[in-house]
Each structure stands twice: as C-alpha cells, then as structure tokens.
Amino acid sequence: KAGVTQTPRYLIKTRGQQVTLSCSPISGHRSVSWYQQTPGQGLQFLFEYFSETQRNKGNFPGRFSGRQFSNSRSEMNVSTLELGDSALYLCASSYGTGGLRNEQFFGPGTRLTVL
Amino acid sequence: DAKTTQPTSMDCAEGRAANLPCNHSTISGNEYVYWYRQIHSQGPQYIIHGLKNNETNEMASLIITEDRKSSTLILPHATLRDTAVYYCIVRVVWDQGGKLIFGQGTELSVKP
C-alpha cells in the first residue's frame, strides 16, 4: 500500500507570494492533518480535515488555510508569505478522526523556503 | 503546550536496550500515552500507545506506572537505525480527532 505522498518536496518562494501544497493520503484514509515544523517552534498542528470538513484548527493566522476534496486529497495554502513561514510542512493521514485505531501516518514533508 | 517532559538527549550502545522516559504528571483519566519518532529528514512514525496497561508490539514496549504519571518506551535491542527524535504525547483520543501536540522530544543516539 502506498504511503502518504506530498508534492512538491521542495519549494522556494519570495515574501508576499502565496503557495499551495498538496497531500495524497493512504488509500482508504479519510482524515488528513497538517503540521508545521521549524527549529524554533518544533512540530505544530495546523488543521485537520475529515470528509471535506475542517474538524480541528491550530493557532495559526488566517493566512494559512486548507481544504479537502471528495477523494480525501488535501491542499493547504499560505498567502502573503513571510520569512517565518519557512518550514517543513508535514501531512498525516488516518482512517478516521479520533478513536484508538486511528494512528496517523506521516508523509515526507514539503520543505518551504521563503526568501 | 505539551503535557509531557522528556530528557533532551540520550545515548545508547548498539544492541543494548534503550529506555526512554517520559513524565506526564498532569495526565487525566481519559488520556492515552502515544509515542512517535522522527528519523532525520523524514515524517514522524507511530510507535505504540497505551492507557494504563503495559503494551508491546514489534517495534517497542511501553511501560506505564501505576499512577500513570510517567512512562518508559523500551527499544529492546537498539540499532543504528533507531537513532531519531522520540516524542511522547498524551491525548484524548475521542475528542481531539487527529490533533497531536508534540513537545521537544528526546534525541536518541545509538552508537556502535
């Protein structure tokens, strides 16, 4: 079974631009979560989508948004990029949302650099 | 904020057991203990979870104290490939959905 895939793997943008990152979950998984990882703040939860609905949201500004499609694929968008948005963005999928057997499987991440 | 406290770093000799402690003194009755690890430049990987009983799977064992205020992840025969950052997380599995709150974790170095 293929794992979680994220595209692109690396991205370079300049301040003020916007960016869209994509995540394809494991086949059959309906929940997708996004995380940001930086050296200073560590791994931080951005949001979770389940059946095309945002179920949970972390403490990030409105510039960070996401969506989920009917095939469970998800995208996240960051508008008006700032230097501090440079990070590894990780996507994780699970079969459902919550529950004991819904361990999350992470993708390899997208490395975003903002210049 | 993370509800767990872990040592910043630990060393372990290859082939020996690695015992990674985690303190979660404010854990509530409906919170589970989860462990994930992150090998350099990869996404985190689920290892094991438990509520109050000791748990074992093909990767590791989880020992939770009777008062549930602390736990230990045991890698019985550490290899160089176990070098990673290990995260101990407590969560209410039914209410918080997929949200995981990561702390700083323990950087485990397995040395030959």
Side-chain angles (χ1 to χ4, degrees):
Chain A
K1 190 185 261 192
V4 177
T5 58
Q6 293 187 243
T7 56
R9 292 292 311 278
Y10 302 91
L11 202 52
I12 299 175
K13 292 285 189 179
T14 57
R15 281 181 300 174
Q17 287 187 309
Q18 75 166 15
V19 67
T20 299
L21 311 181
S22 180
C23 172
S24 292
I26 291 172
S27 178
H29 284 192
R30 297 184 297 163
S31 173
V32 173
S33 298
W34 289 90
Y35 293 81
Q36 181 197 64
Q37 186 171 28
T38 61
Q41 299 297 318
L43 271 159
Q44 293 186 287
F45 173 79
L46 279 158
F47 28 66
E48 178 194 12
Y49 287 86
F50 178 76
S51 294
E52 302 179 64
T53 301
Q54 188 179 86
R55 195 188 184 280
N56 268 305
K57 189 177 189 306
N59 188 25
F60 278 82
R63 300 186 296 107
F64 292 81
S65 63
R67 59 178 176 169
Q68 186 179 34
F69 303 95
S70 59
N71 62 359
S72 295
R73 190 178 69 85
S74 177
E75 290 181 345
M76 68 162 283
N77 183 276
V78 187
S79 63
T80 320
L81 284 166
E82 301 177 359
L83 295 179
D85 297 333
S86 294
L88 180 67
Y89 289 88
L90 291 156
C91 163
S93 78
S94 61
Y95 178 74
T97 178
L100 289 176
R101 299 239 174 248
N102 288 317
E103 298 86 14
Q104 293 189 50
F105 295 84
F106 284 79
T110 294
R111 174 74 62 184
L112 172 65
T113 301
V114 182
L115 303 176
Chain B
D1 291 337
K3 301 180 181 179
T4 62
T5 304
Q6 300 177 252
T8 302
S9 63
M10 293 181 64
D11 289 340
C12 178
E14 188 178 20
R16 303 297 294 270
N19 297 280
L20 293 96
C22 179
N23 181 286
H24 32 79
S25 57
T26 61
I27 193 169
S28 57
N30 60 350
E31 288 184 311
Y32 285 70
V33 180
Y34 277 72
W35 284 82
Y36 282 77
R37 73 178 183 184
Q38 187 175 24
I39 296 171
H40 183 63
S41 300
Q42 298 182 22
Q45 176 189 25
Y46 165 80
I47 301 173
I48 198 168
H49 73 273
L51 180 62
K52 55 183 178 181
N53 297 318
N54 298 339
E55 302 287 345
T56 296
N57 63 19
E58 65 278 4
M59 288 183 67
S61 294
L62 173 60
I63 308 297
I64 302 175
T65 59
E66 192 169 342
D67 63 7
R68 303 207 324 121
K69 292 183 184 299
S70 65
S71 60
T72 301
L73 178 75
I74 301 173
L75 308 178
H77 305 287
T79 71
L80 299 179
R81 289 178 294 179
D82 292 322
T83 293
V85 178
Y86 287 77
Y87 297 97
C88 170
I89 299 167
V90 296
R91 60 188 291 246
V92 179
V93 297
W94 296 109
D95 294 343
Q96 294 180 355
K99 181 178 181 179
L100 296 174
I101 299 176
F102 289 86
Q104 295 305 308
T106 295
E107 187 167 5
L108 176 68
S109 296
V110 181
K111 301 181 184 299

